[in-house]
Amino acid sequence: MTDLTNLTLVEAREGLKAKKFTATELTKAHIAAVEAARGLNAYVLETPEVALAQAAASDEKLAKGEGGALEGLPLGIKDLFGTKGVRTTACSKIIGNFVPEYESTVTSQLFRDGAVMLGKLNNDEFAMGSSNETSAFGPVVNPFKPSGWDDAKAKAALSGDKKGLLVPGGSSGGSSAAVAANICLGATATDTGGSIRQPAAFTGTVGIKPTYGRCSRWGIVAFASSLDQAGPIAKTVKDCAALLRSMAGHDPKDSTSVDMPVPDFEAAVGKSVAGKTIGIPKEYRVDGMSAEIEALWAKGAQMLKDAGAKVVDVSLPHTKYALPAYYIVAPAEASSNLARYDGVRYGVREPGKDIIELYEKTRAAGFGREVKRRIMIGTYVLSAGYYDAYYLKAQKIRTLIKKDFEDVYAAGVDAILTPATPSAAFGIAQMAEADPVEMYLNDIFTVTVNMAGLPGLALPGGVDANGLPLGLQLIGRPFDEETLFSLGGVIEDQVGRVSAKRWW
Ligand code: GLN
């Protein structure tokens, strides 16, 4: 039999329906691939017994011609999603061995539709980071090898200190690496400032951050609640659309989730884009941007033009303030959300002579460096005396950023095309050991979309001279993910899939 892990989600779905293989066979193939890829450190918990039980139940349904839209399809779940009876840590020591008694709304919808869970995926601690190096479980390795490395050299580094190998992006680095390594058919992820799109760009995968309010945040460990959104990372645009359909929908338990019908996103892939107007924002042509990325961006625009779209120059004048404003708003909300981790209710507890000392010691031991940095920045910008100068100002900038997009859309633009990241994947330890601002600069093209609450799709635009994937980003009107899927389909048809060759 062919290797079932090479299939896309849609191909596997069709194969199951045509009874070419069973859900159990499909799941077993993936479990074996997960075990063989442990060096990548994409999974922080494997749940083969859960997966096999779910697959057996799916097989019963499929045999009767029943089952949901994702019946029998093995997925990976980012460890930020609360999973009932299955350890959920957000990759932080402070949450420890917490086993939720609840299921997040998004994962419960995936399971309702028949999905199979292979395990929990690694991420930056509390989703704070752009390289997956802040995880308490250690870094994840990008399935794409550094240029010039042969398999033996890469394998040796994998079992050693991993230095020189590439990061898969973050914070959803486990999700992007697992999809790229064919150790799940698709994965859940979250995006507060780029955590779906940047890892997708670094691994040749496709990820969408839907419009704020499209998916319920209920049961997902909170980072910055006004920015957080769940979404999928998948092998293709169509796979991504199929997953989002199950993940999306109104949830009375999250008052920010919107009560709107969920379209058949998959039907948008392959639809004509003739007559659509695509904006190219001049402010995204940042200093020091590589010629390769410029060229890729222009090529992407040409593909859409060839498909009948109109490409126009647009201006988003407040773009340059987005990154500093994001790094005020996000830590401010994080400092508030993370106040609950006190060592009393769950996770790590360091005893102290009184309750205050217990809090202090627990938080000192339980949080990693980057999380502590965010809590300190967040507390500072919210404190009396600095609130107006930082937090309030950042909120005003946020409104201006949102207005920039509204103006462009009001002028008739249907979607905006930008690069997804300013560079290809970098090396493990390369940025983590530098100034934290260097790491923050990775998010320059993605944070605006969260600040404005808009949908953003990242997909492969091609490869650089070293064969590493480079991503493009399509930004849409609120709740118009369908146009992004149609446009993404056009680019994907031209670029094809950017896949890693197995060496691990
Ligand atoms: N890299 C960004 C940060 O560290 C975004 C993270 C995310 O989207 N969760 O805040």
Side-chain angles (χ1 to χ4, degrees):
M1 204 188 293
T2 52
D3 182 358
L4 297 178
T5 66
N6 274 332
L7 299 174
T8 68
L9 180 115
V10 167
E11 287 167 353
R13 187 183 66 193
E14 302 314 318
L16 284 173
K17 253 193 228 143
K19 303 210 164 34
K20 286 193 187 149
F21 44 82
T22 65
T24 301
E25 285 165 346
L26 183 65
T27 301
K28 281 189 176 160
H30 279 89
I31 291 172
V34 167
E35 286 171 0
R38 283 194 181 131
L40 299 178
N41 203 24
Y43 283 88
V44 295
L45 182 72
E46 295 169 19
T47 55
E49 40 328 289
V50 176
L52 289 170
Q54 288 172 323
S58 291
D59 277 330
E60 275 183 33
K61 287 190 190 151
L62 288 162
K64 289 188 260 171
E66 294 167 4
L70 301 174
E71 200 63 58
L73 301 175
L75 306 180
I77 305 296
K78 185 177 183 180
D79 205 27
L80 223 62
F81 290 77
T83 41
K84 191 172 178 183
V86 175
R87 190 189 72 185
T88 301
T89 71
C91 297
S92 179
K93 270 202 292 198
I94 207 155
I95 305 190
N97 285 318
F98 176 57
V99 178
E101 288 176 18
Y102 57 85
E103 187 70 49
S104 84
T105 299
V106 164
T107 46
S108 72
Q109 290 175 182
L110 290 169
F111 299 143
R112 169 203 69 198
D113 288 351
V116 166
M117 176 169 72
L118 291 165
K120 302 299 289 288
L121 293 165
N122 209 336
N123 51 252
D124 278 299
E125 183 178 7
F126 285 106
M128 297 175 194
S130 306
S131 65
N132 212 111
E133 291 167 288
T134 72
S135 166
F137 293 97
V140 175
V141 176
N142 193 323
F144 283 85
K145 273 182 313 196
S147 93
W149 284 41
D150 62 16
D151 288 7
K153 185 171 178 191
K155 265 193 194 156
L158 198 64
S159 44
D161 65 3
K162 297 189 162 70
K163 277 202 183 164
L165 292 165
L166 303 175
V167 304
S171 66
S172 311
S175 306
S176 65
V179 172
N182 286 341
I183 53 174
C184 62
L185 288 174
T188 67
T190 61
D191 190 314
T192 303
S195 280
I196 290 176
R197 292 160 288 153
Q198 184 255 16
F202 277 13
T203 55
T205 57
V206 182
I208 188 165
K209 181 202 90 76
T211 313
Y212 186 79
R214 184 59 100 179
C215 293
S216 170
R217 291 179 294 107
W218 194 85
I220 303 173
V221 177
F223 166 7
S225 305
S226 78
L227 302 161
D228 297 344
Q229 258 301 287
I233 293 183
K235 297 181 189 181
T236 67
V237 174
K238 215 175 206 181
D239 286 4
C240 207
L243 287 169
L244 181 61
R245 191 176 188 192
S246 289
M247 293 169 76
H250 177 239
D251 175 11
K253 289 189 289 204
D254 173 5
S255 60
T256 64
S257 80
V258 173
D259 197 357
M260 272 175 76
V262 177
D264 178 359
F265 295 120
E266 217 180 310
V269 187
K271 259 204 188 146
S272 163
V273 301
K276 295 274 181 203
T277 303
I278 311 303
I280 307 290
K282 63 168 189 272
E283 291 78 6
Y284 281 62
R285 201 154 277 130
V286 293
D287 286 349
M289 186 155 102
S290 81
E292 269 179 319
I293 298 216
E294 278 249 33
L296 181 93
W297 190 8
K299 253 201 196 146
Q302 190 58 46
M303 290 171 200
L304 298 177
K305 238 194 228 168
D306 293 345
K310 199 167 108 194
V311 176
V312 298
D313 287 328
V314 298
S315 173
L316 298 164
H318 296 92
T319 300
K320 65 172 177 292
Y321 304 114
L323 201 63
Y326 168 83
Y327 276 98
I328 288 173
V329 173
E333 293 186 25
S335 70
S336 158
N337 270 327
L338 269 52
R340 73 190 67 164
Y341 303 106
D342 54 15
V344 176
R345 282 162 287 195
Y346 38 65
V348 165
R349 178 184 300 174
E350 290 291 328
K353 65 177 184 313
D354 55 23
I355 188 82
I356 299 294
E357 198 181 283
L358 179 144
Y359 289 164
E360 284 172 356
K361 285 191 163 168
T362 297
R363 288 168 68 86
F367 289 131
R369 276 173 66 84
E370 182 60 27
V371 174
K372 284 180 188 159
R373 181 179 296 125
R374 306 283 177 116
I375 293 173
M376 283 190 280
I377 294 170
T379 312
Y380 180 81
V381 300
L382 287 174
S383 59
Y386 295 104
Y387 182 93
D388 289 7
Y390 294 104
Y391 182 70
L392 195 63
K393 204 169 188 181
Q395 290 288 39
K396 288 179 180 167
I397 290 170
R398 184 173 183 178
T399 304
L400 293 171
I401 290 166
K402 191 158 178 274
K403 203 175 160 294
D404 283 353
F405 283 103
E406 284 166 2
D407 290 346
V408 165
Y409 292 139
V413 167
D414 296 296
I416 293 164
L417 180 73
T418 76
T421 57
S423 73
F426 46 87
I428 288 176
Q430 184 184 323
M431 286 232 188
E433 286 163 6
D435 177 347
V437 174
E438 287 287 314
M439 189 70 87
Y440 299 168
L441 284 171
N442 261 286
D443 309 328
I444 194 152
F445 300 140
T446 47
V447 292
T448 50
V449 177
N450 302 76
M451 294 290 262
L454 300 170
L457 175 78
L459 79 167
V463 291
D464 70 5
N466 298 320
L468 295 180
L470 292 172
L472 287 170
Q473 171 176 240
L474 286 156
I475 307 169
R477 295 169 180 258
F479 298 102
D480 188 16
E481 289 86 359
E482 285 168 285
T483 295
L484 301 186
F485 285 126
S486 301
L487 295 165
V490 169
I491 294 178
E492 185 178 62
D493 279 348
Q494 297 299 315
V495 174
R497 274 180 66 196
V498 174
S499 307
K501 260 202 26 249
R502 197 170 290 219
W503 54 267
W504 48 88

